[in-house]
Amino acid sequence: SQCGAIAGQKHCHFVPLIRQCSGQRGHRISQTAGFHEGEQFAGDMDDFHRGIPTYRLPSFQSQSAIPRPAQNASMNLRDRLLAVLRGNKHQLQSAAALSRALRLAKNQRKELTRALQHLQTDGRVQRTREGLYRSTAAPRHTELSGRIRFRSGGSAFVILDEAQADGSTEVQIAPAATDVALHGDQVVVQILPKGRTRFAGETAGRVMRVLARNRDTLVGNLRKTGRYWVVTPDDPHFVHDIAVKSPEQTNLKPAPATGDKVVVRLDEWRKRRDPLTGTITTRLGRTHEPRAELLGIFEQYGLAPNFPPAVESEAAAIPGKVQRKDLAGRFDCRNIPTFTIDPDDAKDFDDALSLETLASGETRVGIHIADVSTYVKPGTALDREALRRGNSTYLVGTVIPMLPEKLSNGLCSLVEAEDRLTKVVFLTFGANGRIRETTFANAVIRSRKRLTYKQAYALLFTDDLAQVRALPLPPKHQTGSTGRALSSLSNSELHDLQGWVRKLWSLAAILRRDRMAHGSLDLEMPETKIYVDEKGYADRLERVEHDESHQLIEEFMLAANEAVARLTRTRRLPSLYRVHDDPDEEKLNELREDLATHGIKVGNLSVRAEVVRLLQTLRDHPQGHLLRTQLLRSLRKACYRSSPDGHYGLHKRDYTHFTSPIRRYSDLVVHRVLNAWLSRQDNGAGAKPAAPGYTAAGVENLGAHLSQTETNSQDAERDSVKVKLLEFFERELSKTPRARFAAIITDVRPNGFFVELTESLAFGFVPASVLRDDHYDQTGDGSALIGRRHKRRFPLGGRLEVIVEKVDRFKRMVDFRPAD
């Protein structure tokens, strides 16, 4: 509890670890699993899963070397010092004067010096160049800890570890008050008096000290300015350039040059007036080249494209085909119609659906999920690495898998015409289309067809099989498996496939209608899919709608997740749940006020029915996509927990993640829990579980870690999309003629207006300076730009065609101009 790096933090995954902290200020916390650097995990993986606190300090550090807490006398001296300084807060005092005021003996002078140094480090006392002291901070209770996040302009906000008395969770920080903090650091902030800051109506503060750095390396562009070399970080949230030595002094071969993308290890930064410095450690390539950009994202988010040798060795030892011995005790579904439906560029195939009509006339649907738990056993190198990664990360044009390719694209992937092991949830539907029975089993399947969403949509709504047959296969370089071309299927095969897809949709449509009627929120939004060519360059944008082919798969996956969560909750099995807490009422009120500025009046958004009505309103609103995004940001983020606390968005009491174990470790945990339960059903209640027993504490630790790795991957994926969008629009600049993009005006400013491209959903800005036919002013209500002479208007919600005018890859901005 004395360690400055973790004091006040709430995100450490292992509370016992805090108790055994070495006590050294600045001891950093690993971002991957909550371990201190240099600390070793002393137990086995079973201990980890059960939450048993088995840790030991590094061998170079003995227990006797751990600093003891300061003695009470010293702590009392600090309190007395603060009392004297605050009592004379406008007066500078020397150490001698303080000693006299405190009536200290001569042999206590060293103790006084140490106390003053501690208070300086804590930011509560300031020492002038003349060696005089004064109090700088308000009473200690106004200091709070949290994580700082910068804006591109240099200002920042701190997300507090604990909410204040008024419920606020953020503190606004002016650029000059950020001290030596960098984006993502854990910091202590002091709250400033209201009315003395530029943040009207908001809680404002200043950074007092940095508790722990978020990272010690950065990726950026190397350039020379005058006689000096600097690196400009790729991440616009890092607002400081980093001064580095001449590239010739790096000993890298070849030496980095201007315009190269490099990795910089940051030096310690203690004083804001000093430059931020670092050392170039790696040259990634030329800035903005696809490979260099990809390597930069790998480095920034700690993604490893390769697996450790021990993991590769274990994967190599696994057979390439399903073995006969693995089929024992499994439900054989190989003769039941089964197929997959996935995106064009799917790399792995976690789930498949089977369909059969029972003798009773009822319909049984099997939701088959790849049985990764058969091959990835607890405590193995495969398991440890999968846990460290937490999930696969899907960047534009590539994937960083959680499991080696032999499993993720091979033995575990439910590819066409191959035997595969699955965990299955069987849903039996009555004549009215409602679920009458739910059962669980281990199974073996053989998929009849790998369908894309486009192919499934055509089978649903196109009667002409010749048109269906003409649909092309996805390019080989974009997917893990293309499957057979529809043109190679006979009319009988296509007819059967069409019948199965339509029957499944008739059941899924009822599930969806019932779910929405029950209050589930339709939060799905169109997305921009970026496709790359064989060299890795972005060459095509496509808007992907969440149509019926997507909804078909979604409804059955939701039903399976709910069924498994209900089983683990009612049987009181320690397991992971996907939790989405109710939104914060204050944020909903802020959203309500913001919607009013757009002419949208809503009632109390803490009432679910009002949120449902709002979503229906936004569906046809000209700024619907932007406002739906704001609604999503007003909701809490879903996470993993050991407690079944429900899912606000879906309005479900029971929900977990079960359907993607190839790409999510959380699902693998749930599979092991289900497997243990199935084993007991087969062998009797007294049988030993087939998987290591989980405890609530152990699963809670897992949930915290997996929530963090998920966030890291999502940030990397968003970054990848931004980079590739900029790359796509930059390439448009070299084309003649340039492509025209349909757009809608989403925000009007005095100096121009923002647009959203209706096809790709990309955003950009149209500066007033490119509107050369007139001089444009903003209307009094701010809803449009209007020309002085010709009175041409560019109103909020207006539609127009634009072409690319300028791309700034460093600021990550795209300027457009009207196509006419």
Side-chain angles (χ1 to χ4, degrees):
S1 61
Q2 295 299 309
C3 177
I6 61 175
Q9 291 193 34
K10 305 298 180 186
H11 68 270
C12 185
H13 305 139
F14 305 99
V15 174
L17 192 63
I18 297 177
R19 299 193 187 109
Q20 297 192 28
C21 170
S22 71
Q24 292 184 359
R25 180 170 300 279
H27 208 124
R28 298 183 65 253
I29 293 176
S30 166
Q31 289 184 309
T32 53
F35 295 102
H36 283 270
E37 290 185 348
E39 195 144 18
Q40 301 169 7
F41 183 66
D44 58 20
M45 288 308 294
D46 286 6
D47 291 334
F48 178 88
H49 291 310
R50 297 185 180 100
I52 297 173
T54 51
Y55 306 95
R56 62 169 175 259
L57 291 170
S59 57
F60 57 79
Q61 190 173 40
S62 66
Q63 290 286 349
S64 62
I66 299 176
R68 300 296 181 187
Q71 298 301 312
N72 288 337
S74 177
M75 294 299 291
N76 290 337
L77 177 58
R78 291 185 214 171
D79 293 339
R80 290 162 60 199
L81 263 172
L82 283 175
V84 170
L85 288 165
R86 287 172 180 161
N88 301 277
K89 58 183 178 181
H90 299 300
Q91 182 179 346
L92 291 167
Q93 301 183 64
S94 67
L98 290 169
S99 179
R100 288 194 298 271
L102 294 167
R103 298 180 182 178
L104 299 181
K106 287 185 179 181
N107 61 1
Q108 290 181 289
R109 295 287 176 84
K110 288 185 178 179
E111 193 175 352
L112 172 64
T113 301
R114 285 197 299 270
L116 285 167
Q117 288 173 342
H118 276 293
L119 291 172
Q120 280 181 262
T121 303
D122 287 347
R124 289 184 284 176
V125 167
Q126 183 181 17
R127 182 179 186 272
T128 69
R129 293 182 180 180
E130 294 78 22
L132 302 178
Y133 298 90
R134 65 183 167 199
S135 172
T136 60
R140 185 70 174 182
H141 66 268
T142 63
E143 290 189 359
L144 302 167
S145 64
R147 192 163 293 279
I148 190 168
R149 300 188 69 84
F150 279 77
R151 304 180 181 94
S152 57
S155 66
F157 60 96
V158 172
I159 302 172
L160 299 175
D161 293 330
E162 292 183 356
Q164 297 186 79
D166 62 0
S168 61
T169 58
E170 291 184 2
V171 177
Q172 303 299 321
I173 312 291
T178 57
D179 195 43
V180 293
L182 297 173
H183 185 69
D185 288 351
Q186 190 75 10
V187 299
V188 169
V189 294
Q190 180 193 66
I191 305 302
L192 297 175
K194 292 189 181 295
R196 296 188 185 178
T197 72
R198 68 175 191 172
F199 301 102
E202 296 186 83
T203 302
R206 61 179 174 183
V207 174
M208 301 302 298
R209 58 190 179 277
V210 175
L211 292 175
R213 291 291 185 197
N214 180 51
R215 59 186 304 119
D216 57 7
T217 62
L218 285 176
V219 177
N221 178 59
L222 178 65
R223 61 189 179 87
K224 192 173 185 181
T225 172
R227 294 183 295 121
Y228 302 100
W229 290 87
V230 297
V231 172
T232 301
D234 282 355
D235 189 339
H237 296 106
F238 286 88
V239 296
H240 303 282
D241 282 350
I242 305 151
V244 294
K245 294 180 180 178
S246 169
E248 287 75 19
Q249 298 176 269
T250 62
N251 297 323
L252 295 176
K253 303 295 184 184
T258 297
D260 279 354
K261 186 176 290 293
V262 296
V263 179
V264 179
R265 185 179 65 251
L266 299 178
D267 297 333
E268 190 171 2
W269 191 30
R270 292 184 175 180
K271 297 179 181 179
R272 183 174 175 83
R273 64 175 178 267
D274 294 339
L276 178 59
T277 61
T279 303
I280 299 174
T281 61
T282 312
R283 177 187 179 273
L284 301 177
R286 297 295 292 169
T287 296
H288 304 328
E289 286 182 350
R291 177 162 177 76
E293 294 294 334
L294 187 62
L295 292 175
I297 292 175
F298 290 171
E299 175 69 30
Q300 182 175 344
Y301 294 98
L303 304 175
N306 300 315
F307 287 86
V311 176
E312 294 286 8
S313 179
E314 283 187 1
I318 296 174
K321 297 275 189 180
V322 171
Q323 304 297 293
R324 183 180 296 274
K325 63 182 177 60
D326 296 330
L327 305 184
R330 290 184 176 270
F331 195 82
D332 194 342
C333 300
R334 287 176 289 185
N335 293 321
I336 299 173
T338 306
F339 52 89
T340 62
I341 303 177
D342 291 279
D344 278 17
D345 59 347
K347 301 296 190 297
D348 45 58
F349 305 89
D350 287 277
D351 55 86
L353 297 176
S354 66
L355 181 69
E356 53 186 323
T357 302
L358 305 180
S360 61
E362 296 175 322
T363 302
R364 183 164 68 183
V365 176
I367 300 103
H368 295 268
I369 310 300
D371 193 355
V372 176
S373 63
T374 295
Y375 304 107
V376 180
K377 300 297 186 183
T380 59
L382 271 168
D383 183 56
R384 289 194 297 271
E385 182 64 14
L387 171 60
R388 188 192 71 78
R389 296 179 180 227
N391 45 261
S392 298
T393 303
Y394 293 85
L395 308 178
V396 176
T398 191
V399 60
I400 306 299
M402 184 180 79
L403 300 170
E405 186 175 0
K406 184 172 183 179
L407 294 175
S408 60
N409 280 18
L411 192 56
C412 292
S413 190
L414 308 184
V415 295
E416 195 175 304
E418 293 284 350
D419 288 356
R420 290 292 184 259
L421 306 183
T422 65
K423 290 277 190 295
V424 59
V425 177
F426 285 117
L427 303 178
T428 302
F429 291 83
N432 63 355
R434 265 63 181 192
I435 299 173
R436 297 189 55 175
E437 184 183 19
T438 303
T439 55
F440 309 86
N442 288 313
V444 56
I445 66 166
R446 183 177 296 161
S447 173
R448 302 276 182 95
K449 187 73 190 76
R450 180 273 207 251
L451 290 175
T452 67
Y453 283 124
K454 294 173 184 175
Q455 291 170 341
Y457 187 86
L459 288 167
L460 277 173
F461 299 108
T462 303
D463 293 327
D464 186 350
L465 294 183
Q467 292 184 32
V468 175
R469 186 175 278 112
L471 291 173
L473 286 175
K476 286 186 178 180
H477 72 276
Q478 290 181 351
T479 179
S481 173
T482 61
R484 292 174 295 159
L486 293 180
S487 58
S488 69
L489 273 60
S490 66
N491 281 343
S492 174
E493 287 178 299
L494 271 180
H495 188 270
D496 286 345
L497 198 56
Q498 188 176 58
W500 299 334
V501 171
R502 292 184 175 185
K503 177 62 177 177
L504 284 171
W505 171 239
S506 69
L507 298 172
I510 295 173
L511 290 175
R512 183 175 180 82
R513 187 166 62 246
D514 289 350
R515 179 166 67 85
M516 294 304 172
H518 185 60
S520 183
L521 304 181
D522 184 9
L523 297 173
E524 292 293 341
M525 297 173 64
E527 60 175 311
T528 303
K529 180 76 80 172
I530 306 173
Y531 292 96
V532 300
D533 60 23
E534 294 186 3
K535 294 181 179 179
Y537 285 99
D539 69 343
R540 182 165 62 92
L541 304 183
E542 183 178 303
R543 175 172 171 150
V544 179
E545 295 283 356
H546 192 69
D547 61 28
E548 289 85 347
S549 64
H550 295 76
Q551 294 167 14
L552 185 160
I553 290 297
E554 178 187 42
E555 293 306 322
F556 286 116
M557 297 306 121
L558 291 178
N561 286 335
E562 184 178 16
V564 174
R566 187 184 302 115
L567 173 75
T568 57
R569 177 181 61 82
T570 57
R571 298 298 191 275
R572 298 184 178 180
L573 306 174
S575 185
L576 271 178
Y577 296 90
R578 184 65 170 178
V579 174
H580 189 205
D581 292 323
D582 289 352
D584 178 74
E585 193 168 339
E586 184 177 343
K587 287 199 171 183
L588 290 180
N589 289 335
E590 291 174 2
L591 174 65
R592 187 168 176 263
E593 293 173 4
D594 189 45
L595 290 169
T597 65
H598 295 277
I600 301 174
K601 294 183 178 181
V602 294
N604 184 359
L605 290 177
S606 61
V607 177
R608 179 174 293 272
E610 197 64 32
V611 180
V612 172
R613 279 194 290 272
L614 172 60
L615 287 168
Q616 291 171 344
T617 300
L618 296 181
R619 196 171 297 162
D620 301 317
H621 194 276
Q623 293 172 282
H625 185 268
L626 183 66
L627 295 176
R628 280 169 69 94
T629 301
Q630 287 183 235
L631 170 59
L632 286 172
R633 288 173 178 167
S634 299
L635 304 181
R636 297 187 194 272
K637 182 174 171 57
C639 64
Y640 295 108
R641 276 193 214 137
S642 62
S643 51
D645 298 331
H647 198 289
Y648 170 79
L650 296 171
H651 201 204
K652 291 183 181 292
R653 177 182 181 181
D654 300 305
Y655 197 67
T656 189
H657 272 172
F658 164 77
T659 54
S660 297
I662 292 177
R663 61 187 180 93
R664 293 190 304 229
Y665 194 89
S666 57
D667 303 52
L668 177 55
V669 171
V670 175
H671 274 228
R672 287 170 176 165
V673 173
L674 177 62
N675 201 57
W677 182 80
L678 288 172
S679 176
R680 294 192 64 170
Q681 305 315 299
D682 293 340
N683 302 318
K688 184 178 180 181
Y694 290 98
T695 65
V699 174
E700 190 69 19
N701 290 339
L702 282 170
H705 168 62
L706 297 176
S707 296
Q708 186 180 20
T709 59
E710 176 188 52
T711 298
N712 186 67
S713 290
Q714 288 172 344
D715 289 346
E717 289 162 4
R718 278 194 286 265
D719 219 6
S720 170
V721 169
K722 290 176 185 176
V723 167
K724 287 298 180 182
L725 275 174
L726 291 165
E727 180 181 282
F728 174 83
F729 288 122
E730 187 177 59
R731 298 183 86 194
E732 281 293 319
L733 291 172
S734 62
K735 295 181 180 178
T736 304
R738 296 179 190 175
R740 301 164 72 101
F741 301 98
I744 185 169
I745 299 172
T746 60
D747 192 15
V748 178
R749 303 288 176 87
N751 63 332
F753 52 86
F754 288 94
V755 294
E756 175 190 342
L757 305 192
T758 55
E759 178 61 27
S760 66
L761 305 178
F763 284 90
F765 189 66
V766 178
S769 59
V770 305
L771 307 176
R772 301 187 180 95
D773 63 324
D774 206 339
H775 183 86
Y776 285 83
D777 298 308
Q778 190 175 23
T779 56
D781 60 2
S783 65
L785 285 185
I786 184 168
R788 290 181 182 179
R789 289 178 297 163
H790 306 303
K791 305 303 179 184
R792 184 182 181 185
R793 291 171 58 87
F794 290 99
L796 185 67
R799 296 179 181 272
L800 71 163
E801 286 192 328
V802 296
I803 61 176
V804 181
E805 171 73 8
K806 177 184 175 184
V807 176
D808 190 324
R809 295 286 292 267
F810 296 105
K811 292 183 179 179
R812 297 190 173 183
M813 297 173 62
V814 181
D815 284 353
F816 294 96
R817 61 179 170 88
D820 57 356

